[in-house]
């Protein structure tokens, strides 16, 4: 079966641009289905390069980022077919060690393929990555870790060139200390170490659920990995991995986004399937803000609304509060009683949604990495521009609570990480619609918003 539409279509053509119209203040009710975790799929797709046989991953959402990752793997020689929510992947012949710049520059996670490529082929050529515009996002921790595993790494004209030294053609197990618990570096190095000679230990490893999902996937292929989910991961290298059929965990960030949508619209909403443990920091903050969050079943969480109170939030590596939920909570706190301080510590340029929320009537001031939010009584619908994936989600959430019609532009960001978000929200009572407008009119939608109704 062909790839699904969100994987292949962009949110825009040259002549036309899609925008999302949201008529706010509609109460929501019911249950929203949660898709598989985008960040798990991206890492696991890189991990399929380790498998010399066919494998299958299921519960794969239809997302632009996943479409891009598939394109990169195909450029390396991997065959991928979509079959419903599953991807059938045949990496038996990886014909190239060189990922194309035009694809890698659009997706930072594609860089994570450097580890498995190196482990499988003994060499990798990876252009320095792009991705969300949320900071510098270097790859020094990936590179230093690969060097510790015995790779020779140099950067030539913006391309990371990595080669395995020595006659065995295999990386060598090592003790690696990460200066920071980087998700991507932990994943790159864990994958590289699965086929290395001997034992590797990663200290100060990332503990995110997506790291654990990747470790489970590799384990199901025969890799020996202990400690994933703690800050010390040990990998005992094996000569070869085998085929696997693996379901992806539910997306905790998509789940959190819908819980915030429920809270801001004062709606009772359930979400399922989820792993409630993965939502611990999100649920804790929601409860501090006011709503009750109830775990109805091992895979179902329900939000019962209440008045909203201010709180402080600081983003941190897991199990701290996720940076990927910061923008959505910023939107929520604009309508909470009192003053909140939001501190972004993970990425240096991730408060760009603030300017757009202010245009909707929010009272937020940015000082360095802090946003000081003074709760207001209401937001107003205006045309707003999404600047990155989670900023897009924050604007949709704000639009659901705003008076009048919000028009969200920059939907290619939203489509990177949310599978069918309009339909999911419409099914629980939201009033929103994606429309195409002539590109030349997009910048002046404020003047012509009425014409779009
Ligand atoms: C992953 C997630 C992203 C999430 C982030 C933090 C994927 C595909 N993306 O991104 O959604 O927001 O984790 O939870 O899984 N850093 C360095 N050097 C490095 C690597 C990272 O300085 O070699 C810095 C980054 O610039 C950033 C911080 O470490 O400031 C965290 O980055 P990292 O955990 O690596 O995030 P990603 O893996 O890129």
């Amino acid at each position: 079966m062909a790839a699904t539409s969100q994987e292949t279509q962009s949110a825009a053509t040259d002549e036309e641009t899609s925008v999302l119209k949201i008529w706010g203040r509609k109460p929501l009710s019911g249950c929203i289905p949660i898709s598989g975790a985008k960040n798990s799929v991206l890492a696991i797709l890189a991990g399929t390069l380790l498998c010399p046989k066919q494998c299958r991953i299921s519960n794969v959402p239809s997302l632009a980022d996943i479409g891009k990752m598939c394109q990169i793997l195909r450029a390396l020689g991997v065959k991928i077919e979509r079959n419903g929510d599953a991807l059938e992947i045949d990496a038996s012949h990886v014909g190239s060690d060189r990922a194309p710049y035009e694809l890698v520059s659009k997706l930072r996670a594609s860089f994570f393929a450097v580890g498995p490529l190196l482990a499988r082929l003994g060499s990798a050529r990876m252009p320095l990555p792009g991705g969300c515009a949320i900071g510098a996002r270097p790859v020094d921790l990936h590179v230093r870790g690969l060097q510790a595993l015995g790779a020779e790494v140099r950067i030539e004209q913006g391309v990371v060139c990595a080669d395995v030294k020595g006659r065995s053609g295999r990386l060598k197990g090592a003790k690696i200390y990460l200066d920071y618990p980087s998700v991507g570096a932990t994943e790159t190095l864990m994958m590289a170490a699965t086929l290395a000679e001997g034992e590797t230990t990663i200290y100060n490893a990332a503990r995110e659920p997506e790291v654990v999902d990747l470790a489970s996937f590799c384990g199901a292929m025969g890799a020996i990995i202990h400690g994933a989910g703690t800050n010390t991961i040990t990998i005992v290298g094996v000569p070869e991995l085998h085929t696997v059929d693996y379901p992806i965990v539910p997306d905790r960030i998509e789940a959190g986004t819908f819980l915030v949508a429920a809270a801001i619209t004062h709606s009772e909403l359930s979400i399922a399937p989820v792993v409630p443990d993965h939502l611990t920091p999100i649920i804790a903050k929601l409860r501090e803000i006011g709503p009750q969050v109830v775990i109805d079943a091992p895979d179902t969480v329900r939000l019962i609304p209440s008045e909203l109170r201010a709180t402080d939030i600081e983003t941190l590596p897991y199990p701290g509060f996720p940076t990927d939920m910061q923008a959505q909570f910023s939107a929520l706190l604009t309508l909470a009683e009192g003053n909140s301080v939001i501190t972004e510590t993970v990425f240096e340029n991730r408060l760009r949604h603030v300017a757009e929320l202010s245009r909707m009537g929010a009272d937020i001031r940015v000082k360095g990495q802090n946003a000081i939010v003074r709760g207001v009584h209401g937001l107003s619908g205006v045309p707003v521009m999404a600047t990155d994936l989670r900023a897009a989600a924050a604007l949709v959430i704000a639009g659901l609570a705003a008076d009048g019609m919000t028009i969200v532009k920059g939907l290619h960001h939203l489509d990177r990480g949310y599978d069918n978000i309009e339909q999911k929200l419409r099914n629980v009572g939201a009033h929103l619609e994606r429309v195409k407008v002539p590109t030349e009119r997009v910048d002046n939608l404020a003047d012509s918003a009425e014409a779009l109704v």
Side-chain angles (χ1 to χ4, degrees):
M1 191 187 279
T4 55
S5 58
Q6 207 158 305
E7 277 170 16
T8 51
Q9 281 174 13
S10 76
T13 63
D14 284 350
E15 296 81 33
E16 286 187 320
T17 300
S18 293
V19 300
L20 194 60
K21 294 190 289 180
I22 305 170
W23 291 268
R25 296 180 64 84
K26 306 277 183 271
L28 312 180
S29 71
C31 182
I32 301 188
I34 301 303
S35 301
K38 168 183 83 84
N39 287 348
S40 277
V41 177
L42 293 175
I44 286 173
L45 276 171
T48 63
L49 286 165
L50 295 165
C51 178
K53 309 254 164 58
Q54 289 197 3
C55 62
R56 180 175 185 275
I57 53 178
S58 57
N59 197 27
V60 177
S62 171
L63 298 173
D65 272 10
I66 290 174
K68 284 180 201 149
M69 192 68 177
C70 289
Q71 272 183 289
I72 288 163
L73 292 184
R74 287 192 185 103
L76 298 171
V78 178
K79 296 190 185 115
I80 306 178
E81 284 280 312
R82 192 179 253 280
N83 210 343
D85 80 348
L87 295 177
E88 316 276 353
I89 300 157
D90 180 355
S92 51
H93 299 288
V94 181
S96 169
D97 66 353
R98 180 178 288 269
Y101 172 74
E102 55 290 3
L103 298 179
V104 175
S105 62
K106 293 186 188 134
L107 180 68
R108 176 177 167 86
S110 58
F111 188 82
F112 306 173
V114 70
L117 261 186
L118 190 59
R120 175 86 184 272
L121 302 180
S123 65
R125 300 288 178 268
M126 270 290 162
L128 288 164
C132 258
I134 55 175
R137 305 186 82 170
V139 290
D140 54 318
L141 300 173
H142 303 239
V143 167
R144 288 215 299 275
L146 292 174
Q147 285 168 330
L149 290 171
E152 216 168 61
V153 186
R154 56 198 192 284
I155 297 177
E156 286 176 3
Q157 295 171 334
V159 177
V160 175
C161 303
D163 294 281
V164 175
K165 292 182 287 190
R167 257 184 274 143
S168 76
R170 289 175 70 187
L171 293 164
K172 299 216 166 23
K175 293 192 185 310
I176 302 170
Y177 171 78
L178 295 179
D179 286 342
Y180 183 90
S182 154
V183 174
T186 303
E187 293 174 342
T188 294
L189 300 173
M190 193 165 74
M191 290 188 275
T194 57
L195 295 178
E197 284 174 339
E199 189 174 296
T200 298
T201 307
I202 306 174
Y203 299 98
N204 200 25
R207 300 164 61 183
E208 269 69 3
E210 296 76 24
V211 172
V212 179
D213 210 24
L214 174 65
S216 307
F217 168 79
C218 291
M221 285 195 296
I224 303 171
I225 302 177
H226 304 292
T230 74
N231 58 11
T232 305
I233 302 179
T234 304
I235 306 112
V236 182
V238 296
E240 200 176 68
L241 299 174
H242 55 71
T243 183
V244 64
D245 185 345
Y246 190 83
I248 301 293
V249 289
D251 194 313
R252 66 195 166 102
I253 305 299
E254 188 199 20
T257 301
F258 288 131
L259 287 176
V260 174
I264 203 168
T265 56
H266 298 276
S267 304
E268 183 163 332
L269 264 189
S270 296
I271 50 165
V274 292
V275 180
D277 273 356
H278 295 173
L279 296 169
T280 300
I282 297 169
I283 291 175
K285 277 295 157 192
L286 282 168
R287 286 177 176 154
E288 248 174 67
I289 292 168
Q292 283 182 53
V293 183
V294 185
I295 298 171
D296 283 330
D299 70 346
T300 308
V301 167
R302 179 166 48 102
L303 184 134
I304 302 166
S306 78
E307 294 309 307
L308 305 173
R309 295 187 295 266
T311 194
D312 294 340
I313 288 180
E314 181 172 333
T315 64
L316 287 169
Y318 191 86
F321 185 87
T323 177
D324 287 350
M325 283 302 300
Q326 179 262 107
Q328 299 91 315
F329 271 77
S330 302
L332 179 62
L333 290 171
T334 63
L335 293 176
E337 171 83 38
N339 299 336
S340 306
V341 179
I342 298 167
T343 307
E344 173 58 56
T345 75
V346 179
F347 292 111
E348 70 270 26
N349 195 13
R350 211 174 198 185
L351 290 168
R352 297 204 302 165
H353 48 281
V354 164
E356 299 302 294
L357 290 173
S358 300
R359 298 185 61 241
M360 297 178 75
D363 182 349
I364 315 184
R365 255 166 255 181
V366 174
K367 286 206 166 150
Q369 293 298 92
N370 298 309
I372 296 121
V373 186
R374 293 196 179 91
V376 293
H377 291 297
L379 298 174
S380 321
V382 291
V384 283
M385 175 61 86
T387 48
D388 64 54
L389 166 55
R390 305 305 169 185
L395 296 175
V396 171
I397 285 169
L400 292 172
D403 274 320
M405 185 175 69
T406 300
I407 300 172
V408 182
K409 303 182 274 181
L411 292 188
H412 57 286
H413 292 297
L414 191 67
D415 294 341
R416 289 186 44 217
Y418 291 91
D419 187 356
N420 216 356
I421 187 166
E422 294 104 276
Q423 194 56 47
K424 287 185 181 185
L425 285 170
R426 245 195 316 267
N427 288 349
V428 293
H431 189 176
L432 72 176
E433 190 183 348
R434 185 180 290 235
V435 293
K436 290 199 170 115
V437 295
T439 300
E440 59 189 22
R441 276 180 54 203
V442 165
D443 289 339
N444 299 316
L445 284 181
D447 304 333
S448 52
E450 287 309 314
L452 280 173
V453 177

